[in-house]
Amino acid sequence: MKVSRDISNKQFDSKVRGQMSGEIGEFAKNFNYMIDTINFTIRDITDKNTQLKSIMQSVSHGILAIDTRGKILLINDLAKKMVEGDSYVTAEGKNIRQFIKNELILESVLHNMCSEHSTIIQKNIKNDIIYKIKIDPVHFEDTDAVIGFIINIENITEYAKLENMRKEFVANVSHELKTPITSIQGFIETLKMTDNLDEDTKNRFLTIIENEATRLTRLIDDILLLSTIENKTKKKVEKVDLFEVFEEVHEVINYIAKKKNIKVKYDFENKDIDLWEYSGYIRQILLNIISNAIKYTGENGKVSIKQYIKSEKVFIEVKDNGIGIPEEDIERIFERFYRVDKARSRSVGGTGLGLAITKHMVKALNGNIRVESELGVGSKFIIELPFNQEFAQKAS
Ligand code: ADP
């Protein structure tokens, strides 16, 4: 009798003991065997349940299983958080109408609970957070009968942002490439169609075609450069003498500066600084920032470059007394193709990619870049590069 009481109390380790013979003995043996089987089956189910729960918790999406009426059968912690359910109550057994506090998610699920097919919904939940909600019906064995739903909620904010950026970039690139191509086609057409064009006009058209072709080349070079920097493949790491790199750049820059009668002054606190970098990055950074200073400064202007060491970092400041940048544009000038004045940038041979490339490169070297500027007064770009022992070890 005690054994049957134990079994009713879920104590499956209880056994019928004692020496019994005949039918009673056979019954006791079978009874004990039955207890063992039940015990084993329960342990197996408990293990599987624990496994299932662990899997549910380790999934990086919110997962929710409900029956056709909306009763929650299973839910992982992430889903509880995403649907803004009360974390102190047991969700299993509750109806989603009571548990899901996020109206948009609840509405999406309720709206699609009658469907026999999978549904995917993308929702802007709040503060630009985007969730992808996938609702899959669960069928009873091989029949058409739906017995519940599995709801999979994924935070795709980052992915959506990248996708938008990619689309925007492709649209921008197409637009930027189209403008010079249209212009080249137009002038070639005119040259072909017009007889007796005087030599001067012909030469003027050819110069425009040449300039547009140069612009296309520059644009393609910059796009390729940007894509190389973004490429995660290993790049050559090397140690360079900062002042030597600067002198090289200075030579190139001086040539352009002279054409506008701009004085380029420099003052290096320490000329013996070696830096670890990805091959060519520091040269490109200096070239972009200093050539911008010249591009956006009027004739007879001044550009000064200062180098100093502070808190174990090398600072390079490039200051000009040029056109300056309006306050509302300062935040955006490092974006791809962002230009304060498109026509002006174009007329000085800009592609709108220089600062985006520069920022990427500075970041890749664990550095920082910022700008201080006043409209009509001038701009100061401040580049900060650490002595990158750590970077060198990581990158090599
Ligand atoms: P761009 O090829 O047009 O020069 P950049 O990415 O190098 O493209 O610069 C983006 C924009 O930032 C420029 O179009 C210009 O409006 C502004 N800018 C950059 N450097 C300066 C500067 N030194 N002075 C004023 N404006 C600048």
Side-chain angles (χ1 to χ4, degrees):
M1 269 311 102
K2 182 183 171 296
V3 180
S4 58
R5 242 193 338 264
D6 285 348
I7 301 297
S8 341
N9 289 330
K10 298 182 185 164
Q11 282 178 11
F12 296 106
D13 51 353
S14 195
K15 288 269 154 64
V16 179
R17 291 178 210 287
Q19 289 285 336
M20 283 168 250
S21 55
E23 273 192 24
I24 295 286
E26 186 69 13
F27 173 74
K29 204 174 98 197
N30 286 343
F31 194 77
N32 281 345
Y33 181 73
M34 189 176 76
I35 299 169
D36 279 345
T37 312
I38 294 175
N39 202 4
F40 176 80
T41 312
I42 288 181
R43 240 188 271 153
D44 192 37
I45 292 172
T46 314
D47 283 353
K48 288 212 168 98
N49 198 23
T50 315
Q51 263 176 19
L52 180 66
K53 277 194 177 146
S54 314
I55 293 170
M56 290 272 286
Q57 295 308 348
S58 56
V59 173
S60 58
H61 300 181
I63 307 268
L64 193 70
I66 56 172
D67 69 11
T68 46
R69 291 202 198 133
K71 190 171 91 178
I72 299 173
L73 307 172
L74 268 175
I75 183 165
N76 67 356
D77 286 348
L78 189 56
K80 285 184 193 170
K81 226 159 111 187
M82 289 172 123
V83 302
E84 294 164 25
D86 193 342
S87 54
Y88 298 107
V89 304
T90 311
E92 283 88 349
K94 289 239 159 9
N95 195 287
I96 51 168
R97 292 169 185 84
Q98 298 166 298
F99 188 76
I100 298 183
K101 292 288 181 299
N102 186 298
E103 298 273 320
L104 283 171
I105 299 179
L106 180 61
E107 196 185 286
S108 313
V109 176
L110 291 176
H111 191 75
N112 291 286
M113 261 173 61
C114 44
S115 173
E116 280 180 15
H117 308 284
S118 297
T119 327
I120 297 177
I121 310 146
Q122 209 162 298
K123 283 267 173 218
N124 198 334
I125 297 295
K126 61 178 168 190
N127 304 334
D128 286 335
I129 292 180
I130 303 164
Y131 283 175
K132 184 169 103 181
I133 306 164
K134 188 163 181 272
I135 303 163
D136 290 309
V138 179
H139 295 274
F140 178 66
E141 292 181 347
D142 284 338
T143 68
D144 281 345
V146 174
I147 53 168
F149 297 90
I150 301 284
I151 302 154
N152 184 323
I153 314 172
E154 191 184 348
N155 186 339
I156 57 159
T157 314
E158 219 32 54
Y159 169 79
K161 227 191 263 171
L162 285 175
E163 187 56 20
N164 265 347
M165 268 169 67
R166 192 191 63 80
K167 278 189 196 152
E168 211 175 283
F169 182 65
V170 172
N172 274 327
V173 167
S174 323
H175 176 78
E176 295 288 337
L177 292 177
K178 230 177 181 170
T179 321
I181 288 173
T182 314
S183 164
I184 290 173
Q185 276 171 337
F187 282 103
I188 289 178
E189 200 75 356
T190 321
L191 281 172
K192 271 169 73 184
M193 307 285 282
T194 328
D195 298 327
N196 315 323
L197 211 58
D198 65 85
E199 222 28 46
D200 272 0
T201 318
K202 210 158 107 187
N203 282 338
R204 199 160 49 80
F205 285 5
L206 285 171
T207 309
I208 295 173
I209 292 172
E210 193 182 17
N211 288 343
E212 294 292 1
T214 312
R215 203 153 84 78
L216 266 180
T217 313
R218 214 167 19 228
L219 202 59
I220 290 164
D221 283 349
D222 273 1
I223 293 166
L224 287 178
L225 185 58
L226 197 61
S227 118
T228 321
I229 314 166
E230 284 179 344
N231 211 329
K232 294 269 182 287
T233 50
K234 279 207 169 216
K235 298 175 183 79
K236 196 173 151 212
V237 176
E238 59 185 20
K239 203 178 196 181
V240 290
D241 178 322
L242 178 62
F243 187 64
E244 253 177 39
V245 178
F246 169 75
E247 274 190 315
E248 246 180 68
V249 171
H250 186 245
E251 211 168 296
V252 181
I253 290 295
N254 239 351
Y255 175 75
I256 322 167
K258 271 192 185 135
K259 284 189 184 167
K260 288 173 85 177
N261 196 29
I262 291 175
K263 279 206 176 66
V264 182
K265 275 199 326 187
Y266 66 86
D267 171 19
F268 265 58
E269 185 190 273
N270 190 332
K271 290 186 181 168
D272 296 316
I273 297 288
D274 284 340
L275 288 179
W276 284 97
E277 65 147 347
Y278 288 124
S279 183
Y281 274 29
I282 294 182
R283 182 181 189 276
Q284 190 72 50
I285 293 166
L286 294 174
L287 203 59
N288 285 1
I289 297 299
I290 308 173
S291 66
N292 268 358
I294 294 165
K295 274 195 307 195
Y296 299 104
T297 296
E299 298 216 338
N300 312 315
K302 267 195 283 185
V303 171
S304 45
I305 299 131
K306 209 165 105 180
Q307 180 257 31
Y308 55 91
I309 316 287
K310 205 170 93 183
S311 321
E312 300 198 8
K313 282 178 185 153
V314 190
F315 285 78
I316 304 151
E317 288 185 3
V318 179
K319 192 175 162 205
D320 63 60
N321 64 348
I323 59 170
I325 304 161
E327 209 184 320
E328 65 270 23
D329 293 304
I330 285 190
E331 280 275 292
R332 304 200 57 190
I333 55 165
F334 292 97
E335 289 174 21
R336 298 154 177 187
F337 295 113
Y338 192 83
R339 286 165 283 197
V340 176
D341 178 343
K342 268 199 176 211
R344 185 165 201 149
S345 156
R346 228 170 245 161
S347 71
V348 289
T351 60
L353 289 174
L355 287 182
I357 290 171
T358 308
K359 186 161 184 173
H360 254 84
M361 289 184 159
V362 172
K363 288 279 169 201
L365 301 179
N366 293 338
N368 226 329
I369 180 163
R370 63 189 175 86
V371 58
E372 292 167 8
S373 186
E374 199 179 327
L375 197 60
V377 177
S379 311
K380 182 157 87 176
F381 283 78
I382 303 135
I383 305 157
E384 172 186 329
L385 293 170
F387 292 101
N388 267 327
Q389 289 303 343
E390 226 177 275
F391 157 78
Q393 277 158 12
K394 238 190 330 184
S396 55

